[in-house]
Amino acid sequence: MMSDDGEQLLVVYDDHSDQRSMSLDETSSTEESPDETKVSLETTDDAIPYIGQRFATHDHAYEFYSEFAKRCGFSIRRHRTEGKDGVGKGLTRRYFVCHRAGNTPVKTLSENKPQRNRKSSRCGCQAYMRISKTTELGAPEWRVTGFSNHHNHELLEPNQVRFLPAYRTISDADKNRILMFAKTGISVQQMMRLLELEKCVEPGYLPFTEKDVRNLLQSFRKVDLEDESIDLLRMCRNIKDKDHNFQFEYKLDSNNRLENIAWSYASSVQSYEVFGDAVVFDTTHRLNAFDMPLGIWVGMNNYGMPCFFGCALLREENVKSYSWALKAFLGFMNGKVPQTILTDQTLCVREAIAMEMPSAKHAYCIWLIVAKFPSWFNAVLGERYNEWKSEFYRLYNMESIEDFEMGWRDMVNSFGLHTNRHITTLFAARNLWALPYLRSHFFAGMTTTAHSKAINAFIQRFLSAQTRLAHFIEQVAVAVDFKDQAGEQQTMQQNLQNICLKTGAPMESHAASVLTPFAFSKLQEQLVLAAHYASFQLEDGFLVRHHTKLEGGRKVYWVPREGIISCSCHHFEFSGILCRHTLRVLSTGNCFQIPERYMPLRWRRINTSAKLLQNTLSDHTERVQLLQGMVSNLVTESAKSKDRLDIAMEHVSVLLSRIRDHPVPSSRYARNDCFT
């Protein structure tokens, strides 16, 4: 209870005519603490329990005490009884106690049985209400014979107490709505938002939580998971019989039950051939109806749209499971390892990638990190949260590692975050998420917020809160097919749009005829900015800086004879698009076309739809896949030193000359037949 001046009111009294003592459990004491005050209330508010208060049944007494507890900021539970229904006098006494009464018994640890390290809320609280059965007036009734409202813990505020399990309830009407929503395949989060709108309540103020809804959905499912697994494998085999290009892999445990399964479609494998250089491995979702972790491989195509590569359902979230999933994925993709792979901050995933894809550059998805900022820093920073977030983004986008680390120290000092564990963890892992450490690696633009939203929207199309496991693969196939069709429409729309040239430079019109509208727009931005930069020739290259600056700038190396150009900003390595600095040097050097090698195949106007690629010969496709893998490894190994690069350039030039001199036996193997 709370008094008028805001202090907690202790109400402790007992009926001394009832000499029997209460024992909450074997470890608790019935003795009252010296500072407790016994109060006799002759007249009292009916909302507060008092000695002698009468109830028709013990259930009515429980409901009354429960309502009182909710107003005070705690919940109650039935503790013990005296007597037994149907035996002798039946029930004669009942005890209702605070939900934090008693102490958690010490469990005996077993080496063979894993233990869940869950913190108990019980703290030996002595608050209680005791009722006894009486027949003084003829009819049996229950009378309050003991009551204490002394708590040894803080009571909750009204906006907090509603989250206690005792007060979280889902009405029958809400259960029916949730079941209906589940059949439509929307997520639990979307269900909560719809119910809040229907009931006109603020977000988070429903009388139940997302966890309660997930538990309810789990109880709706009557099918046996083992039977579901059998149906799932049968469906995969049936799909494989009809489509030999469908890929799936599975693992059974020692009891012959399905442990893991992964799959990919023909169109996904074909897309990966061209766009598998940068991959997102999203492990943040679960198949709710079966409580199974879900791993999804996604990339970005040449039109800037998400493309699906593969999917895995796992029983456990550990290194062994993720390692199995990565091996299965590489098997689908003919062993081709991506140049870069983006994940969340799960340590198990990080270890699995280090084991199975050691040559890939592993990085964290920045949008998954930023999504945690409100819970990490809102309360800590208060009104300065938005100011800090702006400073974080400024540091994140820096080019120089030295400037980043110096700026980070200043930020920590300015906002007083020296002891914040999240800041410490972020800085320790900075080489996995901060752009100054990642710019020399290719990410296909997948570090942007816009792309993260597109990926999440795509994934939500086949995430269902309530679905048959055997039908999940079909749901994914429908979503992927829908995305492929939508992508084709967007591709056509992009290609039909009139491209507006802004600079009039020959390089711009050349790029517009080769690159997709999405990629061209990125290059065009750099071309427009290049006009604002000045270039100065040095002994070993060029210095390029903004015309308003007197110091600084970027170092550009250009070898016209070899057609090689690079910049210290690493923009091309990071995005596959030449930067303003290199474009300025090319323009100064009277270069009217962008060198062939700096318009990568993955950004060109090529058609990678499954229908057209299926017309090519399978052995030809396999040879192309093998060659692409070899070229990828060649580039990776050659770039490690200048000597290696010189050797590679010498031998590749000779090899390219020999290939060009060799006659082509059939036009159907020509590049235009494969990619037009």
Side-chain angles (χ1 to χ4, degrees):
M1 288 288 294
M2 302 297 292
S3 61
D4 293 338
D5 59 1
E7 297 180 355
Q8 182 170 305
L9 174 65
L10 300 184
V11 182
V12 183
Y13 43 81
D14 220 323
D15 183 352
H16 297 285
S17 65
D18 191 341
Q19 299 298 321
R20 303 184 67 175
S21 63
M22 179 194 76
S23 175
L24 296 181
D25 52 39
E26 294 180 358
T27 62
S28 64
S29 170
T30 60
E31 295 180 1
E32 297 168 359
S33 58
D35 60 340
E36 290 179 353
T37 305
K38 292 190 177 182
V39 182
S40 176
L41 300 179
E42 295 181 0
T43 60
T44 182
D45 187 343
D46 287 341
I48 304 174
Y50 60 91
I51 298 298
Q53 187 175 10
R54 301 174 187 276
F55 300 95
T57 67
H58 56 77
D59 286 333
H60 288 162
Y62 179 85
E63 292 171 5
F64 174 84
Y65 189 32
S66 180
E67 286 298 318
F68 167 77
K70 187 175 183 180
R71 292 193 301 273
C72 290
F74 67 103
S75 65
I76 65 170
R77 57 184 169 85
R78 294 178 172 87
H79 177 59
R80 54 169 290 200
T81 62
E82 293 183 13
K84 188 175 182 180
D85 279 337
V87 179
K89 295 181 180 180
L91 286 176
T92 58
R93 185 173 299 158
R94 299 210 68 157
Y95 294 90
F96 307 131
V97 299
C98 173
H99 72 288
R100 302 194 67 177
N103 294 289
T104 304
V106 179
K107 292 183 179 180
T108 304
L109 298 178
S110 172
E111 295 182 358
N112 299 324
K113 185 177 181 181
Q115 301 291 325
R116 288 192 296 176
N117 185 22
R118 295 193 302 177
K119 185 178 179 181
S120 173
S121 64
R122 298 193 180 188
C123 60
C125 181
Q126 293 291 310
Y128 77 99
M129 186 177 84
R130 181 180 66 227
I131 58 174
S132 300
K133 191 176 182 180
T134 178
T135 55
E136 291 180 2
L137 301 178
E141 60 181 2
W142 293 83
R143 183 166 57 91
V144 176
T145 56
F147 173 62
S148 169
N149 200 35
H150 173 64
H151 299 265
N152 63 354
H153 56 89
E154 292 185 3
L155 299 180
L156 301 177
E157 296 295 328
N159 64 336
Q160 297 173 319
V161 71
R162 60 194 177 86
F163 290 116
L164 291 175
Y167 305 125
R168 299 203 315 254
T169 57
I170 304 179
S171 67
D172 290 340
D174 288 338
K175 287 179 182 179
N176 292 332
R177 293 290 290 165
I178 290 169
L179 182 57
M180 185 196 73
F181 289 150
K183 290 178 179 179
T184 67
I186 66 173
S187 68
V188 173
Q189 188 177 31
Q190 289 170 320
M191 293 181 195
M192 297 291 285
R193 300 294 85 80
L194 286 173
L195 288 168
E196 287 166 353
L197 290 172
E198 289 180 358
K199 295 176 177 292
C200 297
V201 300
E202 293 293 324
Y205 275 79
L206 288 172
F208 48 85
T209 65
E210 288 187 14
K211 182 179 179 181
D212 298 324
V213 174
R214 289 192 177 92
N215 291 338
L216 178 67
L217 293 174
Q218 190 74 5
S219 68
F220 283 158
R221 189 172 59 86
K222 302 299 182 183
V223 295
D224 184 10
L225 182 57
E226 191 168 338
D227 292 338
E228 284 283 287
S229 300
I230 294 172
D231 290 343
L232 176 62
L233 292 177
R234 185 183 296 117
M235 175 173 287
C236 286
R237 292 188 180 104
N238 290 338
I239 297 174
K240 184 71 174 178
D241 290 341
K242 297 175 183 177
D243 180 5
H244 295 295
N245 293 316
F246 174 74
Q247 306 266 11
F248 81 102
E249 187 66 56
Y250 66 94
K251 179 183 178 184
L252 304 178
D253 63 14
S254 56
N255 296 318
N256 210 35
R257 296 179 304 176
L258 183 66
E259 187 171 345
N260 303 320
I261 185 168
W263 68 95
S264 184
Y265 308 100
S267 61
S268 300
V269 175
Q270 291 155 353
S271 293
Y272 186 85
E273 293 174 13
V274 181
F275 310 121
D277 40 18
V279 174
V280 172
F281 183 34
D282 191 320
T283 58
T284 61
H285 301 278
R286 302 178 74 87
L287 191 58
N288 294 322
F290 298 90
D291 196 31
M292 295 182 73
L294 184 65
I296 305 163
W297 289 276
V298 187
M300 176 187 274
N301 69 12
N302 52 337
Y303 284 84
M305 292 174 286
C307 51
F308 176 87
F309 293 144
C311 201
L313 276 171
L314 311 172
R315 185 183 296 175
E316 301 291 341
E317 293 179 281
N318 53 37
V319 176
K320 183 180 178 182
S321 295
Y322 289 127
S323 179
W324 178 92
L326 292 170
K327 284 181 179 177
F329 178 72
L330 289 177
F332 299 157
M333 304 305 170
N334 302 296
K336 179 183 176 181
V337 178
Q339 294 178 32
T340 54
I341 183 166
L342 287 156
T343 72
D344 68 354
Q345 294 167 277
T346 305
L347 183 60
C348 293
V349 175
R350 182 177 177 180
E351 292 181 12
I353 289 174
M355 291 168 53
E356 307 302 334
M357 297 180 175
S359 63
K361 172 59 181 176
H362 178 212
Y364 290 153
C365 297
I366 186 62
W367 62 84
L368 294 177
I369 295 176
V370 172
K372 299 174 184 176
F373 282 177
S375 61
W376 284 357
F377 301 114
N378 230 329
V380 176
L381 296 168
E383 293 180 353
R384 300 193 70 189
Y385 171 73
N386 288 331
E387 179 188 352
W388 172 84
K389 194 172 179 181
S390 297
E391 177 63 10
F392 173 86
Y393 277 121
R394 188 185 73 83
L395 296 174
Y396 167 73
N397 284 291
M398 280 186 166
E399 293 184 358
S400 164
I401 291 177
E402 292 76 14
D403 290 344
F404 171 84
E405 295 188 351
M406 185 180 299
W408 188 271
R409 286 193 294 270
D410 293 341
M411 178 267 289
V412 170
N413 292 330
S414 175
F415 291 89
L417 296 171
H418 303 83
T419 59
N420 186 279
R421 62 186 180 91
H422 298 302
I423 287 292
T424 302
T425 302
L426 282 172
F427 187 71
R430 60 192 181 280
N431 63 314
L432 293 171
W433 59 265
L435 291 188
Y437 300 87
L438 303 177
R439 292 191 185 277
S440 59
H441 302 276
F442 181 71
F443 285 93
M446 293 197 296
T447 58
T448 64
T449 303
H451 188 68
S452 70
K453 291 180 179 178
I455 289 178
N456 285 330
F458 172 48
I459 292 173
Q460 289 300 328
R461 288 199 60 82
F462 56 83
L463 274 182
S464 174
Q466 177 73 12
T467 180
R468 292 289 301 273
L469 185 58
H471 293 166
F472 184 67
I473 289 183
E474 286 185 339
Q475 285 181 252
V476 178
V478 170
V480 171
D481 184 59
F482 175 86
K483 186 65 183 179
D484 288 344
Q485 293 178 21
E488 289 179 6
Q489 292 177 358
Q490 287 181 278
T491 297
M492 292 176 62
Q493 290 175 0
Q494 282 193 33
N495 289 334
L496 290 173
Q497 290 175 352
N498 292 323
I499 294 178
C500 178
L501 301 181
K502 297 180 179 180
T503 68
M507 278 193 294
E508 184 182 19
S509 57
H510 172 234
S513 66
V514 178
L515 302 178
T516 64
F518 170 80
F520 171 71
S521 67
K522 301 299 180 183
L523 180 69
Q524 190 178 54
E525 290 175 7
Q526 298 299 316
L527 275 168
V528 171
L529 291 170
H532 298 271
Y533 284 74
S535 63
F536 307 92
Q537 188 163 6
L538 307 174
E539 290 184 4
D540 58 346
F542 294 82
L543 179 66
V544 181
R545 62 172 172 241
H546 197 272
H547 72 95
T548 62
K549 305 291 184 182
L550 298 178
E551 296 180 351
R554 297 291 176 264
K555 194 72 173 294
V556 176
Y557 301 91
W558 184 31
V559 185
R561 181 172 55 85
E562 301 292 342
I564 296 175
I565 191 166
S566 64
C567 180
S568 59
C569 75
H570 298 294
H571 189 273
F572 178 78
E573 290 84 351
F574 184 70
S575 65
I577 302 293
L578 282 178
C579 64
R580 64 200 75 172
H581 314 109
T582 53
L583 292 170
R584 177 59 181 165
V585 170
L586 290 174
S587 177
T588 303
N590 298 322
C591 184
F592 300 110
Q593 286 193 347
I594 294 175
E596 188 81 2
R597 71 176 66 195
Y598 296 109
M599 289 193 290
L601 181 66
R602 66 128 41 244
W603 291 135
R604 297 191 180 205
R605 293 173 180 264
I606 57 173
N607 191 327
T608 57
S609 66
K611 292 179 181 178
L612 292 179
L613 284 176
Q614 284 173 353
N615 293 329
T616 63
L617 296 181
S618 60
D619 59 338
H620 172 251
T621 302
E622 291 174 4
R623 288 199 297 271
V624 170
Q625 292 169 356
L626 180 61
L627 180 60
Q628 287 175 335
M630 294 172 65
V631 170
S632 177
N633 290 331
L634 174 65
V635 172
T636 301
E637 294 298 324
S638 301
K640 291 181 178 179
S641 72
K642 185 178 182 301
D643 290 341
R644 284 189 174 192
L645 187 60
D646 290 341
I647 295 171
M649 289 296 299
E650 179 183 350
H651 288 277
V652 169
S653 297
V654 174
L655 179 61
L656 190 58
S657 297
R658 289 181 58 190
I659 291 174
R660 284 173 174 166
D661 293 339
H662 198 279
V664 179
S666 173
S667 61
R668 64 181 177 180
Y669 288 139
R671 174 181 165 187
N672 288 341
D673 286 328
C674 295
F675 298 117
T676 58

